[in-house]
Structures are given as structure tokens and as C-alpha cells.
Amino acid sequence: MALSRSRFALSPGAETLGSMSVLTKPCSDPWLTPWHTRHHDAFHATLDADPFARGLVELLCSTKYLPGYVSRPPTDGMRTKLADELKAVAEARDDDIRADLDAAVARSWKRHDLAWLTGRGWGARTAGLFRHVWTTHVRPDWPRRRALLERDVTYRAGLLAAYGWPRALQHMNRRSAWVGADAIRFSDQPGPDHIVGEGGMLFVPVCVTSGTWLAEAPPDRYALVYPARGSGDPTARPPVAPALERLIGSGRAALLHELERPATSSELAAHLGLSLGTVGGHLSVLRDANMVTGTRVGRRVVYRRTATGDLLAQT
């Protein structure tokens, strides 16, 4: 029952948390370099101006246990809004937050003394930090990131429909595996088993991290946050072969190359920076030439290359 009700969701809060983690350290992902360069200094200026923000971010980025009050499962599926996520953060009680942070310190690979944890109202202060990071550093890039996240969900929903959950969950992280008939292993770290409630498990892709974490809402709601496949800056895509461009035109060649991973027309438009009408026209020509095919998945049509399209894309 729990598995049949499991589903995918988006979380602006998780995307913001992942972005903070990336901005605290040197950039190692080439596709993130332009974004990291634009935002790194301003982000650290914010932390330098607020010891609470600096201490909290450094702890979040150096522990194997994310405090539960900052990492909860999203509540509205693919339509989750940051304001709804931050409402729960702001309402967290200081005593509960202190217990959460003590647990995070105990499992950190750096020394933390929590001297920065002064005053009161830590939930509201945490929510304010997340809101600032989202507004300043994440929201301007959110349309592109959301398109990438929706594309990951489209890909895994296709695997789910064709092969079931074991295949859909494959490669969410390096340690995940389907164990037996009714269990999923997400980590090789020791820890207690978790029983998912009848509402099912949530699976939440994010763009800006290579790691995964488990978001919990006692007693039985859980979400696995995992790196979306194919994250990348559109300006950093591998070049399309000149021969293919000469044969079918640069726009159709780019679209055919992009369909190495199935996608909807709106996802292609967002990722390639083209209008929906332009993408629709290219898809129509490619479909008539038997280079791509479309399959309806719920309310969306997902396009993929045919065998002929695969051959041409390798030209």
C-alpha cells in the first residue's frame, strides 16, 4: 500500500539547502561555475554579517545528520511552495531546535560549540535565512532548475510505468538498492529501519548537490532527496556534430541531440532557451521523419528518439 502511494515531489526548500552547501565551498562542478561565481561573495557577506547564519550553515554543511526542522518532506507534491515549507520552520520550538542541533553536532566531522546559538526565535531566524538565500541566489535561476527537475521526474515516471519502482529508483544514489520484496536501502551507514506510512514515500530531485539525504516528519512520513540526472548549464552542452546541423538545421539538430533523455516540449523549450512554438514545429518535422516519437504520460506528452533518430544523432 505504501509503495503504491509513493510519488515524486519538488522542494524549493531542499533546493535552497543544497545551494547553501554548494556556495560554502569551492566549486567543483563545471556547469555550476557561472552561477557560483555570481553568488559566492554575496552569500558569504550575508554569513559574515550574521553569526547565527554563519554557524548554522557551517553545521548543516558538515554533519551526517540534518536537523529535522530544516529538512521536512514537502507537503504539496510538484506544486510545493517555499512559503509553505518555511512556515513549519518558523514555528519550530527553540527547545526542539536545540535538541536537533545537538544531534547534528554529535554527528559532524568538524568541531562545533554552538556559541553562535544566542537569543531566541531560532526557527524564525532560520526561516529568514532560507528566504533570503532563495530570493537572492536561487529564485532567479528557478525556472531553468525547475525544468531540469521536472525532466528528471518525467524520466523516472516513464521507467516506473514500464518497469516498476526498482528500475525507477535505480541510480538515485551510489548506495541505494532494492532489498527483498518490500524494502529499500538508501545508505550503507548504520541506523534504525524506518517504516513508511500508508501515505507512501516521496522522492525529491534537486539540481545542485551530488549527495542525498532523508527528510523526515514523524511518525511515518519520509522523503529521499537525491541529485537530478542531467543537471547542467545549457551553455555547457556538448556541441552538436556539424554534419547533423547541415543535414537538418541547427535547431532540429540541437533538439534531437537533447532528446538523448526523453522530455516534454515545455522541458525542451526551457532547457534550450527556445519558444514553445519553435520547439513544437521542430518536433513535428522530426516526428514526420520518424526521428522522434511521443508517448502520452498522464496529461503530458513525452518525446524520445527513435532508432533512426539515435543513428542520426551519432553522425
Side-chain angles (χ1 to χ4, degrees):
M1 178 65 74
L3 186 59
S4 68
R5 293 182 178 176
S6 294
R7 60 202 184 280
F8 293 92
L10 299 185
S11 170
E15 191 71 25
T16 302
L17 179 56
S19 296
M20 287 194 289
S21 177
V22 169
L23 286 171
T24 59
K25 51 197 172 188
C27 185
S28 59
D29 295 314
W31 79 267
L32 277 174
T33 298
W35 172 81
H36 188 277
T37 300
R38 288 194 304 271
H39 294 282
H40 176 271
D41 290 349
F43 175 71
H44 279 271
T46 296
L47 301 188
D48 290 341
D50 184 352
F52 174 85
R54 169 69 71 184
L56 178 62
V57 169
E58 289 185 353
L59 177 58
L60 296 180
C61 296
S62 63
T63 180
K64 296 179 181 179
Y65 171 80
L66 279 176
Y69 85 105
V70 301
S71 182
R72 296 292 184 92
T75 57
D76 200 18
M78 300 293 289
R79 299 182 299 275
T80 299
K81 295 180 173 59
L82 182 72
D84 295 330
E85 296 185 282
L86 293 186
K87 184 175 184 293
V89 175
E91 292 175 350
R93 297 171 59 248
D94 283 351
D95 289 346
D96 295 333
I97 292 174
R98 179 62 194 240
D100 256 350
L101 296 179
D102 285 338
V105 168
R107 298 190 63 180
S108 173
W109 54 82
K110 291 175 60 178
R111 295 188 63 181
H112 295 274
D113 59 12
L114 298 185
W116 48 269
L117 196 59
T118 58
R120 306 296 292 174
W122 301 326
R125 292 162 72 183
T126 301
L129 171 63
F130 270 67
R131 191 177 298 109
H132 172 78
V133 173
W134 164 262
T135 302
T136 306
H137 307 299
V138 181
R139 187 169 63 185
D141 198 39
W142 182 239
R144 179 177 69 88
R145 294 194 192 187
R146 185 183 180 99
L148 288 166
L149 299 174
E150 289 177 341
R151 189 168 182 180
D152 181 88
V153 171
T154 295
Y155 167 77
R156 295 189 187 278
L159 291 178
L160 173 61
Y163 304 107
W165 277 109
R167 183 76 175 271
L169 305 186
Q170 192 173 24
H171 303 311
M172 278 189 175
N173 69 26
R174 293 189 297 271
R175 301 173 182 84
S176 62
W178 197 267
V179 182
D182 59 356
I184 308 168
R185 185 188 73 218
F186 295 117
S187 172
D188 55 11
Q189 297 289 329
D193 292 339
H194 299 287
I195 306 300
V196 178
E198 292 186 357
M201 183 92 178
L202 292 177
F203 300 97
V204 181
V206 290
C207 285
V208 291
T209 179
S210 59
T212 60
W213 66 86
L214 189 67
E216 305 179 38
D220 57 7
R221 291 187 60 243
Y222 301 95
L224 177 71
V225 181
Y226 68 93
R229 67 192 300 276
S231 297
D233 187 337
T235 63
R237 289 190 302 271
V240 178
L244 182 60
E245 289 187 338
R246 292 196 301 270
L247 179 65
I248 63 175
S250 60
R252 292 169 193 153
L255 193 149
L256 190 65
H257 183 75
E258 192 64 29
L259 281 176
E260 179 181 359
R261 299 184 302 276
T264 66
S265 57
S266 59
E267 291 165 356
L268 290 167
H271 197 53
L272 292 170
L274 300 173
S275 72
L276 195 57
T278 298
V279 169
H282 288 331
L283 286 171
S284 179
V285 172
L286 293 173
R287 187 173 55 241
D288 290 345
N290 193 34
M291 296 182 195
V292 304
T293 185
T295 304
R296 183 165 292 279
V297 179
R299 297 181 179 181
R300 301 185 296 174
V301 177
V302 179
Y303 293 91
R304 66 188 73 243
R305 292 194 311 223
T306 63
T308 301
D310 284 338
L311 286 173
L312 280 171
Q314 296 169 11
T315 301

